[in-house]
Amino acid sequence: MKTIRLAVLLLACLGLNDSVAQNPVIKGFYPDPSVCRVGEDFYLVTSSFQFFPGVPIFHSKDLVNWEQIGNVLDRQEQLPLKDATCWGGIYAPTIRYNDGVFYMITTNCSSKGNFLVTTTDLRKGWSDPVWLKQGGIDPSLYFEDGKVWMVSNPNDGIYLCQIDPKTGEQLTESVLLWQGDGGRYPEAPHLYKIGEYYYLMIAEGGTELAHSETIARSKSIFGPYESNPDNPILTNCCRAAQGNSVQGIGHADLVEAADGSWWMVFLGHRPMSGANHNLGRETFLLPVTWRDGWPVVGKNGTVSERMDFQTLPQKSVVKRPGRVTFSDYADGSFFLRRRDLPELVYMRNPKESFYNIKSGKLVLTASADRLSDVSGSPVFLGRRQQDMAFSFDASMTLRDAVRGDEAGLTVFMTEDSHYDIFVTRDENGRSVLRVRYNFVGLSHETKDYVLSSDRCVLRVSGDKEYYYFSFSQDDGRTFTDCGKVGTRYLSSECAGGFTGVMLGLYAQSANGKTKAKAEFSYLDYAGK
């Protein structure tokens, strides 16, 4: 017995105790998770809205440690994003695996609606979209006896139809299955066959504080569906969780592990300043048990950041470095070389010729399309803010610029709410640095900081309350402070939208006719 106690103590000291899991399991703006299992491997996808490439895909062996292995929609012809904003683009995807084929079905709210893509080899990419007739958002697939069924939520309810996944033809009329338990916005349906029952699980209440997950069952796929008397099975909109550091939980998917255990992935958000959240909706995990034929999520259907539950045997993944350099890339188009950096995304469909590698640097050509435009394709390359406390640096040189041209870093939430630190030219042709705060149409710029050269290191850092701006002209040894501004103004509650903060590089020209270029040696993100 003494030996066992010592072993447990040693494991705890080494951080190998797998009975404590830290949520979220995927941090930052990775909402609407859907998961499937193939053998011992789990694959998970999330929404991407107006950003390209779309639908990040992750791999895990244990549901806790995830590695992004790519993006499902990584060809421009797969993902038309014309005029997509933080309210548009790609909504909730579902991933499923059946008879050797992966399926991903989702909604492009800025194009023709619901579609699916397929692949038999994740390393070789996915098919072109197959567009579908049944409307609504958050479509999902269910496979049985050679038939493929689709559920989604047109007309404020969950509807079912049979489809041909190769052509997109709808083979049966849409049938209403369930409208939930009375919460607004019944959405995010998933259909499962477990034992003798078909289970229909949905989100209700909207993806804010009243978000919840409910479930119903039937012995026929067409219903009628009986509501779980203990609905909702997942929510933090309750007295038991009103003080939790996670809120807005819901939009879930179920998966069974190879050992017979059941799990639920779902979204939630972590408030930063007061009740406001900036990081977007993130991906969380809880175990599921079964009682009287109904799923019980965790201990009481609530979630917090630190949870005590037995996980699957832990399999660590190689963490992607926060520092990205371009010295190993050959000269040419960066767009064609980007796939080993799946976390980096563009705004809408990028103009590929504006992103290049030259002499070990990423060169962005300034465009007349601006970050505040609700159409076009701003020259932007960003990654998600994943931590409340962080720093984000980039070494940049602005060349061939005139007054009105600018390039730098942006803390981007929506088209009309973003903070920028940038280099430009003043009326005397001098290289100057400014910080600009945009908030729902209001804009303010700081004084000019005159630079001794065109090359500098730009830095944005942050904590729960503030974003801080600074720059260095001695390769990062010392920094000049340029002020701070509250995080809350870039929160979903203030700025709107369904996304989270993106930290990006950008370049804008005065009129689209100038030849300004911004050269970036590296970008460096560090969570604290």
Side-chain angles (χ1 to χ4, degrees):
M1 183 64 70
K2 184 176 180 180
T3 302
I4 293 175
R5 289 198 194 99
L6 287 173
V8 171
L9 180 60
L10 178 60
L11 287 173
C13 291
L14 292 174
L16 300 177
N17 185 346
D18 65 357
S19 65
V20 176
Q22 187 72 26
N23 267 311
V25 291
I26 304 178
K27 298 188 296 183
F29 156 52
Y30 291 105
D32 309 320
S34 174
V35 64
C36 71
R37 177 176 65 87
V38 182
E40 300 286 340
D41 298 281
F42 299 94
Y43 298 94
L44 182 146
V45 293
T46 71
S47 301
S48 51
F49 292 87
Q50 79 268 44
F51 297 102
F52 179 91
V55 187
I57 182 167
F58 296 82
H59 169 257
S60 177
K61 290 282 189 180
D62 58 20
L63 292 168
V64 173
N65 299 291
W66 293 92
E67 177 188 9
Q68 187 176 352
I69 58 174
N71 295 275
V72 174
L73 306 173
D74 65 355
R75 302 192 310 275
Q76 300 230 39
E77 58 269 25
Q78 293 174 308
L79 184 52
L81 289 171
K82 179 178 172 57
D83 300 336
T85 69
C86 56
W87 302 99
I90 295 295
Y91 278 29
T94 294
I95 187 170
R96 293 292 183 257
Y97 181 80
N98 182 68
D99 197 22
V101 179
F102 287 94
Y103 296 79
M104 191 284 297
I105 184 171
T106 189
T107 312
N108 187 337
C109 290
S110 300
S111 184
K112 295 188 290 185
N114 292 324
F115 69 95
L116 63 82
V117 292
T118 60
T119 186
T120 57
D121 188 340
L122 294 173
R123 294 169 295 181
K124 293 184 178 179
W126 296 69
S127 69
D128 288 337
V130 176
W131 297 97
L132 304 165
K133 179 181 177 181
Q134 182 166 287
I137 59 171
D138 307 347
S140 186
L141 295 173
Y142 172 72
F143 300 85
E144 185 176 65
D145 297 333
K147 296 179 179 180
V148 183
W149 300 92
M150 169 186 171
V151 286
S152 62
N153 74 334
N155 304 320
D156 202 34
I158 308 305
Y159 285 75
L160 171 78
C161 69
Q162 185 185 346
I163 64 169
D164 182 337
K166 294 182 179 179
T167 65
E169 181 184 0
Q170 184 168 325
L171 303 178
T172 64
E173 291 297 318
S174 299
V175 176
L176 175 64
L177 298 185
W178 192 43
Q179 289 185 290
D181 269 345
R184 64 177 184 170
Y185 308 137
E187 57 192 10
H190 291 303
L191 190 62
Y192 316 89
K193 180 71 178 294
I194 304 170
E196 61 180 337
Y197 286 103
Y198 294 90
Y199 288 86
L200 179 58
M201 188 171 72
I202 72 170
E204 298 187 43
T207 189
E208 297 89 20
L209 290 177
H211 211 196
S212 66
E213 197 73 13
T214 58
I215 196 165
R217 70 185 183 187
S218 172
K219 290 188 176 180
S220 167
I221 194 171
F222 300 106
Y225 280 83
E226 163 201 8
S227 295
N228 182 353
D230 291 327
N231 278 336
I233 57 173
L234 176 76
T235 188
N236 271 11
C237 187
C238 57
R239 185 178 302 170
Q242 64 183 354
N244 284 15
S245 59
V246 181
Q247 293 297 327
I249 62 174
H251 201 118
D253 199 3
L254 287 169
V255 67
E256 183 182 17
D259 66 357
S261 62
W262 283 87
W263 302 86
M264 178 180 282
V265 296
F266 54 95
L267 66 76
H269 68 259
R270 292 180 290 163
M272 292 176 64
S273 177
N276 299 321
H277 76 282
N278 293 52
L279 302 184
R281 298 164 299 158
E282 306 173 281
T283 292
F284 294 78
L285 174 74
L286 279 177
V288 173
T289 54
W290 293 85
R291 184 174 62 219
D292 300 327
W294 294 108
V296 177
V297 185
K299 294 179 180 179
N300 61 356
T302 67
V303 67
S304 58
E305 290 186 69
R306 186 174 175 85
M307 302 287 290
D308 292 323
F309 58 81
Q310 191 71 30
T311 66
L312 296 174
Q314 296 290 287
K315 306 286 185 180
S316 62
V317 298
V318 177
K319 292 188 179 296
R320 195 174 300 280
R323 189 179 183 91
V324 175
T325 59
F326 306 97
S327 57
D328 293 334
Y329 289 83
D331 287 1
S333 170
F334 175 73
F335 184 83
L336 300 177
R337 295 166 169 79
R338 74 194 192 286
R339 288 182 175 173
D340 59 341
L341 298 169
E343 72 275 17
L344 298 183
V345 296
Y346 305 91
M347 189 89 68
R348 307 186 193 98
N349 296 106
K351 299 173 182 176
E352 300 176 20
S353 62
F354 283 61
Y355 305 81
N356 291 282
I357 300 293
K358 185 176 181 181
S359 302
K361 295 180 174 61
L362 172 66
V363 181
L364 303 185
T365 300
S367 165
D369 293 336
R370 310 184 77 77
L371 294 174
S372 296
D373 293 343
V374 295
S375 62
S377 179
V379 174
F380 166 96
L381 187 69
R383 58 152 297 147
R384 290 150 171 87
Q385 179 187 340
Q386 294 183 281
D387 304 274
M388 296 184 188
F390 75 96
S391 64
F392 181 62
D393 297 3
S395 177
M396 188 193 80
T397 303
L398 179 62
R399 300 193 185 280
D400 302 323
V402 299
R403 188 180 182 186
D405 296 338
E406 64 180 72
L409 305 185
T410 181
V411 184
F412 186 92
M413 185 60 165
T414 67
E415 287 75 16
D416 60 6
S417 294
H418 51 92
Y419 303 153
D420 315 316
I421 179 171
F422 60 95
V423 177
T424 185
R425 299 288 187 266
D426 68 8
E427 62 275 10
N428 299 314
R430 297 180 301 177
S431 182
V432 297
L433 180 139
R434 296 173 185 159
V435 179
R436 179 173 52 231
Y437 309 129
N438 295 289
F439 171 57
V440 193
L442 301 176
S443 185
H444 170 73
E445 288 189 7
T446 64
K447 67 176 185 179
D448 288 351
Y449 295 84
V450 179
L451 303 178
S452 59
S453 72
D454 290 338
R455 181 170 179 265
C456 62
V457 177
L458 305 176
R459 171 174 288 176
V460 177
S461 58
D463 55 30
K464 287 186 177 182
E465 299 295 331
Y466 294 101
Y467 289 108
Y468 305 88
F469 301 89
S470 59
F471 70 95
S472 170
Q473 292 221 268
D474 58 7
D475 293 322
R477 290 187 293 274
T478 60
F479 280 83
T480 299
D481 174 58
C482 301
K484 66 182 182 181
V485 66
T487 60
R488 69 178 61 193
Y489 307 113
L490 295 191
S491 68
S492 295
E493 290 74 15
C494 291
F498 291 131
T499 60
V501 164
M502 287 283 194
L503 304 169
L505 320 176
Y506 79 98
Q508 297 176 172
S509 76
N511 53 24
K513 299 178 181 179
T514 59
K515 299 179 180 180
K517 290 179 169 53
E519 299 176 351
F520 293 89
S521 301
Y522 67 82
L523 59 95
D524 194 350
Y525 175 88
K528 299 177 182 179

